[in-house]
Amino acid sequence: MHVVVLIKQVLDPEIPARAFRVDRLLQVPNVDRAPYVMSVFDGNALEVALKLREAKGGDVKITAVSLGPKGAEEMLRKALALTADAAVLINAEANSMDSMGKAKLLAAAIRTLDAVDLILAGRQAADWEAGQVGVMVAEELGLPCVPFVSRINPDGGSLKLRRELDDGYQTIRLPGPAVLTITNDETNVLRSAKVKDVMMAARKPLTTLSPADLGFSGEAAADPAIETLDLTVPEPRKRAEMIEGENLQAGARALARRLLELGAL
Amino acid sequence: MTNVLVAALVGNGAVSGAVLDLLGGAADLAAQTGGQVTVAALGPGAARCASALISHGADLVLTCEEDALATHPGEAGALALVAASQATGATVILFPADTSGRDWAPRLAYRLGAGLVTDVTGWAEADGRLVWSRLVFGGKAEAKMASRRPVTIATVKPGAAKARRPDPERTGEARDLGLTITPDPAWPQVLETAVEQSSGPKLEEAKVIVSGGRGLGGPENFRYLAQLGAVLGAAVGASRAAVDEGWVPATWQIGQTGKAVAPDLYIAVGISGASQHLVGCSRSKVIVAINTDPDAPIFEHARLGLVGDYKEVLPTLTEALKEMLQK
Ligand SMILES: Cc1cc2nc3c(=O)[nH]c(=O)nc-3n(C[C@H](O)[C@H](O)[C@H](O)COP(=O)(O)OP(=O)(O)OC[C@H]3O[C@@H](n4cnc5c(N)ncnc54)[C@H](O)[C@@H]3O)c2cc1C
């Protein structure tokens, strides 16, 4: 079985709000010495692929595919250290592309790979948070799609999925190839790489492709469906009124009184 | 003239408050331009919602009750939505930003070549275009976006629009799309749907929410929240960290990628206040934070704060509120 995991490198989403600035002219974040990391739900997707391989007794090839700048190679090496078998970087400036443009490039790269059975993507990227690319890759490849999957279990010849709902979950039978978008639960927190696997990762194949290699010229970015008109950071708020007391019990009672005064109950 | 289509999954003939809110927003948008509002109500039992939808502002209700919408919701829904879009010529198509809306909207955008803006928190007309607001970078920034395509699709967060007061005199048309959907053997099939039962109020509807994070230290400690919650008639929520630890179900998660709630009172216990969490609770009237770290970002967003170990604070707070509320 061949599983492709789509992963994106993003500005570290844990940067605290008070350190976050934007360049309003360029409409991009402007954070000093910003660390870049694997987008969190893409990490969940990679973990789901690793768990599936374990459940199937090892017979699963995992290819990590990313669209982004040269710097994303570092993140792909991390995916290889987490025991993905191969990695592909479509090296392009993706910021100006719309979701459809990104989906078309990713789908084109997937078409160059050996028969792919399953494609996993994070439910949304931790930067622009659009949540569109995974589903659109399915459309572009003409495959069925199940969004918001948290777990995959082998079930005879097919797969059983757990899909998270707003008020519960569904069990879904997956008869064949599909694209799944992955959401978090306690079973798919991304593991850490083992030291020996980090060393092995350097020798695994990491292919870099350009859009031109995939038959695209500049048009992918030329006519985006959506344009950003403005990007701003909201005004900082006022600090909370801090409740104090001789000890925590007194503080708790003062808090209770203040809640009633405010009419919050 | 803007014709607006609202797309909604309907279970057993019941329309959710989120869909009625969205319909209110759609009706205002269409009214400004003399356009029509259509609701595509999808799912077994959809026809029974027609009168409620018309009284809340729909001019036309297009229904599809094919079983495939329940057994193969993603693939079947996309077919029905393409048909509904073509039948109405809508140039603005709105979905609630829930699991089905977020599933269907990108499929429909792809098939119609439409511009798609997801998780919008509001919209306004400027220079003859619709400008959509949405939070990005985990709620640390807000983007204003506009579509460059003739058809625009948006998924809309709770709170962005408000339902109209129902007018039972209002007239409108309801008809079936006349679509037969035969599932393809390659489509994923729903075997079972498990809906979580909770004894208290639902998070989306609760007036008071007590929410716990990684600071609770373990699943058993959610009982402190449950005890306070019982006194206040509150629902219990959680941060993503508590979900990822496996302490509580994923449906309890509040935030950017969990539920967006708007209670009168939100008590955050052992939650640091990451922007991705705050996005989900920022519409609360009063936020109270209890945290051992005086520098936790949650104190920059809360109305009231108390620095301390929740294990010492919550039992006294619970007792004190119980006494005061009895009086
Ligand atoms: C794309 C993306 C989407 C996300 N979506 C969400 C989302 O929807 N919802 C969400 O919540 N998060 C979300 N996150 C995660 C978010 O960034 C934070 O990691 C998460 O909210 C942290 O949870 P926490 O506050 O419980 O844990 P921590 O940040 O670890 O905070 C624990 C807090 O508990 C306090 N504490 C410890 N002991 C005690 C004690 N005894 N008494 C009182 N206080 C104590 C500590 O001081 C600390 O402030 C998302 C992240 C990404 C990247």
Side-chain angles (χ1 to χ4, degrees):
Chain A
M1 189 176 196
H2 187 187
V3 179
V4 166
V5 185
L6 304 178
I7 60 179
K8 182 181 185 184
Q9 195 184 39
V10 297
L11 182 66
D12 186 352
E14 303 276 343
I15 290 173
R18 45 172 106 93
F20 192 85
R21 307 267 180 289
V22 296
D23 182 326
R24 226 171 144 180
L25 221 60
L26 296 177
Q27 297 171 346
V28 292
N30 179 13
V31 179
D32 282 344
R33 291 186 299 276
Y36 280 80
V37 299
M38 185 186 299
S39 184
V40 183
F41 291 111
D42 303 350
N44 296 129
L46 181 54
E47 181 63 32
V48 167
L50 295 169
K51 288 252 158 66
L52 178 61
R53 177 202 273 155
E54 286 158 9
K56 287 188 76 88
D59 185 25
V60 171
K61 178 183 173 184
I62 299 173
T63 304
V65 176
S66 187
L67 166 64
K70 198 80 184 140
E73 279 184 356
E74 194 188 321
M75 171 199 68
L76 286 170
R77 284 282 167 219
K78 182 181 170 192
L80 294 170
L82 284 158
T83 73
D85 300 285
V88 177
L89 173 66
I90 310 164
N91 182 12
E93 169 43 48
N95 262 342
S96 46
M97 290 176 205
D98 62 12
S99 298
M100 191 101 88
K102 294 177 198 178
K104 289 198 159 143
L105 272 173
L106 287 164
I110 292 167
R111 284 196 199 96
T112 68
L113 302 174
D114 296 341
V116 173
D117 301 288
L118 202 57
I119 298 157
L120 309 183
R123 57 175 281 182
Q124 68 195 62
D127 48 8
W128 288 88
E129 320 251 11
Q132 303 182 15
V133 168
V135 184
M136 286 183 176
V137 167
E139 289 287 313
E140 176 69 15
L141 293 172
L143 289 175
C145 179
V146 186
F148 306 114
V149 171
S150 57
R151 305 175 198 181
I152 306 179
N153 292 305
D155 180 44
S158 63
L159 296 173
K160 263 196 190 158
L161 314 176
R162 176 175 160 126
R163 174 183 188 228
E164 301 295 334
L165 301 177
D166 301 304
D167 56 356
Y169 64 90
Q170 284 177 326
T171 307
I172 291 177
R173 191 181 75 87
L174 191 65
V179 178
L180 314 179
T181 82
I182 305 298
T183 192
N184 66 295
D185 81 350
E186 80 270 21
T187 64
N188 64 29
V189 177
L190 183 60
R191 65 193 66 187
S192 330
K194 298 196 181 113
V195 177
K196 82 165 176 17
D197 292 330
V198 175
M199 280 156 19
M200 296 279 285
R203 275 178 267 147
K204 288 186 182 168
L206 195 166
T207 313
T208 300
L209 301 171
S210 69
D213 295 334
L214 295 167
F216 289 81
S217 52
E219 81 267 12
D223 181 29
I226 296 293
E227 67 183 305
T228 302
L229 305 176
D230 201 1
L231 182 69
T232 53
V233 171
E235 291 286 311
R237 309 243 196 135
K238 233 178 53 208
R239 193 173 156 81
E241 169 187 333
M242 302 304 284
I243 307 286
E244 290 175 20
E246 252 168 39
N247 52 34
L248 283 177
Q249 284 67 37
R253 280 190 292 271
L255 176 58
R257 278 194 299 277
R258 197 72 186 98
L259 281 173
L260 288 179
E261 275 166 28
L262 285 177
L265 287 166
Chain B
M1 195 175 77
T2 308
N3 285 332
V4 185
L5 176 66
V6 173
L9 175 69
V10 203
N12 297 321
V15 204
S16 70
V19 170
L20 295 180
D21 283 344
L22 197 50
L23 178 53
D28 292 344
L29 190 57
Q32 285 159 21
T33 61
Q36 252 215 342
V37 181
T38 303
V39 177
L42 310 184
R48 274 183 277 141
C49 311
S51 57
L53 291 167
I54 290 168
S55 68
H56 279 87
D59 300 304
L60 171 65
V61 178
L62 291 174
T63 56
C64 182
E65 303 200 317
E66 291 290 284
D67 288 337
L69 291 165
T71 53
H72 303 75
E75 278 59 38
L79 292 179
L81 288 165
V82 170
S85 313
Q86 284 164 349
T88 58
T91 51
V92 174
I93 304 175
L94 304 176
F95 291 85
D98 56 15
T99 32
S100 48
R102 286 167 168 154
D103 176 350
W104 287 334
R107 300 182 201 245
L108 189 62
Y110 183 93
R111 293 180 197 193
L112 301 180
L116 171 59
V117 196
T118 45
D119 283 358
V120 309
T121 53
W123 57 83
E125 186 119 16
D127 304 328
R129 316 174 76 177
L130 272 175
V131 177
W132 308 87
S133 302
R134 56 188 303 268
L135 294 172
V136 292
F137 295 93
K140 282 174 270 212
E142 187 189 58
K144 302 248 190 254
M145 298 185 159
S147 167
R148 302 177 67 248
R149 296 287 181 270
V151 176
T152 303
I153 302 179
T155 65
V156 181
K157 285 266 199 181
K162 229 179 138 88
R164 289 188 167 181
R165 199 170 302 143
D167 172 5
E169 310 284 291
R170 221 175 155 276
T171 55
E173 187 194 348
R175 66 180 139 88
D176 193 81
L177 270 171
L179 213 59
T180 310
I181 306 176
T182 313
D184 185 296
W187 289 358
Q189 184 190 354
V190 175
L191 302 177
E192 197 197 334
T193 300
V195 175
E196 238 153 53
Q197 306 295 337
S198 74
S199 44
K202 291 173 82 168
L203 279 167
E204 295 91 328
E205 291 156 11
K207 292 260 173 257
V208 181
I209 294 175
V210 189
S211 199
R214 182 161 20 228
L216 290 201
E220 66 286 357
N221 295 331
F222 270 82
R223 70 166 189 270
Y224 287 90
L225 307 198
Q227 282 157 2
L228 175 57
V231 169
L232 302 178
V236 178
S239 72
R240 173 172 168 160
V243 170
D244 286 354
E245 294 282 356
W247 298 345
V248 297
T251 47
W252 291 24
Q253 182 174 319
I254 287 168
Q256 173 98 349
T257 52
K259 295 203 158 77
V261 297
D264 292 339
L265 175 61
Y266 186 85
I267 306 180
V269 183
I271 292 179
S272 62
S275 59
Q276 291 91 348
H277 184 80
L278 295 168
V279 164
C281 62
S282 59
R283 288 187 299 125
S284 311
K285 283 204 189 109
V286 173
I287 297 179
V288 174
I290 299 169
N291 196 305
T292 41
D293 174 8
D295 293 326
I298 187 84
F299 290 127
E300 283 155 39
H301 292 261
R303 174 76 191 276
L304 301 177
L306 181 58
V307 175
D309 184 346
Y310 75 90
K311 281 192 183 172
E312 295 193 44
V313 176
L314 287 193
T316 312
L317 181 65
T318 305
E319 278 313 307
L321 284 170
K322 196 172 171 181
E323 269 170 39
M324 291 175 190
L325 290 172
Q326 268 165 5
K327 276 184 206 156

